[in-house]
């Protein structure tokens, strides 16, 4: 169904980056989007297959950053903004075309979940710790929970388990799924254009408002099995290989995922 009068007619690849707030920048000013990208997703909306594919790229992925040499993929936005980030991801993923970008500043997740009246997620085990560097106090009990924005932020940023950044990516994927389910709630649908307008203060993008509406409309018409989430395959580097901890890409796995999920 075409709820907003806007329709997607061809596959679109969008680079989505969640940006670390840099100190001494005003919230949601253009400068606040110039930090490292804490979360990196390549998302394809494909009307031909009626599906959305989302590839999570670990932020420590070892890449060649044009003009800067070897580094972690999350540094590209810091060194050269969206243009360099787009170029780096394009090169890393077999020259896949990237049509649009979305940068999201910190605080967005929290407000979105609150605007939706909370989301339902399965907390796998007790999550409790204090991270003084990030002024972060996390305390979540296990089991199915309806969590508010503050708790969703904690759930997404929790790092004290054996899986490190990959565990974090899995929790972010679970949250995205929970948000998608909530967006399909009949009580939420009429408020969507308003919610998008409120959320725009957290977003820097080259998508127009009408393009955003057509993408949201497309996503709302999908069943959960048409929404596919994968993580860029690889492994953590060893101490002998490098001083810094990198996510080393499994190139065969990458090629397989791009062929299977990201039609050109």
């Amino acid at each position: 169904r075409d709820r907003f009068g806007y329709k997607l007619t061809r596959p679109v690849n969008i680079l989505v980056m969640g940006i670390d707030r840099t100190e001494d920048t005003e919230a949601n000013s253009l400068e606040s989007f110039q930090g490292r990208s804490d979360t990196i997703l390549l998302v394809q909306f494909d009307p031909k297959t009626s599906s959305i594919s989302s590839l999570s790229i670990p932020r420590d992925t070892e890449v060649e950053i044009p003009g800067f040499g070897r580094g972690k993929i999350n540094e590209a936005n810091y060194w050269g903004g969206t243009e360099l980030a787009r170029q780096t991801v394009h090169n890393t993923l077999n020259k896949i075309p990237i049509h649009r970008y979305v940068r999201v500043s910190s605080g967005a997740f929290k407000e979105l979940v609150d605007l939706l009246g909370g989301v339902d997620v399965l907390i796998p085990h007790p999550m409790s710790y204090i991270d003084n560097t990030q002024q972060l106090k996390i305390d979540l009990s296990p089991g199915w929970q309806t969590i508010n924005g503050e708790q969703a932020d904690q759930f997404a940023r929790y790092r004290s388990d054996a899986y490190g950044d990959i565990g974090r990516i899995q929790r972010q994927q679970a949250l995205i799924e929970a948000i998608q389910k909530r967006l399909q709630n009949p009580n939420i649908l009429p408020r969507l254009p308003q919610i998008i307008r409120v959320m725009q203060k957290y977003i820097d993008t080259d998508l127009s408002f009408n393009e955003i509406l057509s993408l949201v409309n497309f996503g709302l018409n999908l069943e959960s099995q048409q929404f596919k989430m994968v993580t860029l395959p690889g492994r953590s580097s060893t101490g002998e290989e490098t001083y810094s901890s990198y996510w080393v890409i499994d190139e065969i796995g990458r090629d397989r995922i791009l062929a299977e999920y990201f039609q050109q």
Side-chain angles (χ1 to χ4, degrees):
R1 282 176 305 148
D2 191 358
R3 293 180 179 88
F4 306 123
Y6 301 105
K7 209 156 181 264
L8 189 66
T9 53
R10 61 180 177 84
V12 176
N13 297 334
I14 300 175
L15 176 61
V16 180
M17 295 181 282
I19 306 298
D20 257 354
R21 173 83 185 277
T22 37
E23 281 182 45
D24 308 323
T25 58
E26 215 171 298
N28 311 314
S29 62
L30 205 52
E31 293 74 40
S32 71
F33 291 102
Q34 289 169 352
R36 287 177 170 75
S37 43
D38 212 25
T39 302
I40 307 166
L41 306 170
L42 182 73
V43 185
Q44 182 178 82
F45 293 76
D46 188 353
K48 289 188 299 194
T49 57
S50 295
S51 66
I52 295 176
S53 298
S54 170
L55 174 67
S56 295
I57 304 172
R59 60 192 177 161
D60 292 339
T61 300
E62 183 179 19
V63 293
E64 193 65 33
I65 301 175
F68 292 88
R70 192 180 75 148
K72 295 184 176 184
I73 202 162
N74 72 340
E75 296 166 5
N77 182 70
Y78 177 78
W79 293 118
T82 51
E83 206 32 66
L84 187 60
R86 190 185 271 196
Q87 191 61 51
T88 304
V89 173
H90 169 76
N91 293 349
T92 304
L93 301 181
N94 301 348
K95 310 284 189 194
I96 193 166
I98 297 173
H99 305 111
R100 295 282 190 275
Y101 75 85
V102 177
R103 292 193 293 186
V104 183
S105 64
S106 56
F109 237 170
K110 211 186 285 191
E111 178 146 6
L112 177 59
V113 170
D114 282 338
L115 284 168
L116 296 175
V119 294
D120 300 323
V121 293
L122 179 63
I123 310 285
H125 48 76
M127 294 184 171
S128 184
Y129 84 112
I130 292 175
D131 179 339
N132 291 322
T133 54
Q134 293 189 76
Q135 277 88 56
L136 198 58
K137 181 179 184 298
I138 289 180
D139 192 11
L140 297 169
S141 307
W144 277 100
Q145 310 258 2
T146 303
I147 58 175
N148 63 22
E150 181 66 43
Q151 293 166 316
D153 197 47
Q154 293 177 3
F155 180 68
R157 290 165 71 186
Y158 181 76
R159 282 182 196 153
S160 283
D161 63 12
Y163 305 106
D165 201 38
I166 298 305
R168 216 169 130 265
I169 284 173
Q170 287 167 347
R171 285 188 295 280
Q172 286 170 354
Q173 290 173 341
L175 259 183
I176 290 168
E177 214 173 309
I179 287 170
Q180 188 217 1
K181 281 202 177 83
R182 189 80 181 121
L183 285 170
Q184 292 176 319
N185 181 309
N187 300 328
I188 298 291
L189 284 172
R191 293 174 42 219
L192 264 181
Q194 164 66 17
I195 288 171
I196 293 168
R197 283 207 166 83
V198 172
M199 293 306 295
Q200 277 186 305
K201 66 177 179 234
Y202 294 106
I203 290 169
D204 168 50
T205 182
D206 56 357
L207 285 162
S208 69
F209 188 71
N210 291 351
E211 285 174 327
I212 292 171
L213 281 180
S214 67
L215 294 174
V216 169
N217 184 55
F218 179 77
L220 289 174
N221 288 323
L222 300 186
E223 301 297 321
S224 56
Q225 66 270 20
Q226 295 166 290
F227 195 79
K228 302 164 187 143
M229 288 190 272
V230 288
T231 302
L232 185 64
R235 60 175 176 81
S236 297
S237 60
T238 62
E240 291 82 66
E241 289 176 300
T242 171
Y243 293 117
S244 188
S245 59
Y246 284 105
W247 183 252
V248 181
I249 297 171
D250 166 359
E251 294 182 357
I252 293 169
R254 172 199 62 195
D255 298 350
R256 196 181 61 239
I257 276 177
L258 289 173
E260 188 178 338
Y261 294 98
F262 290 83
Q263 318 299 323
Q264 296 300 310

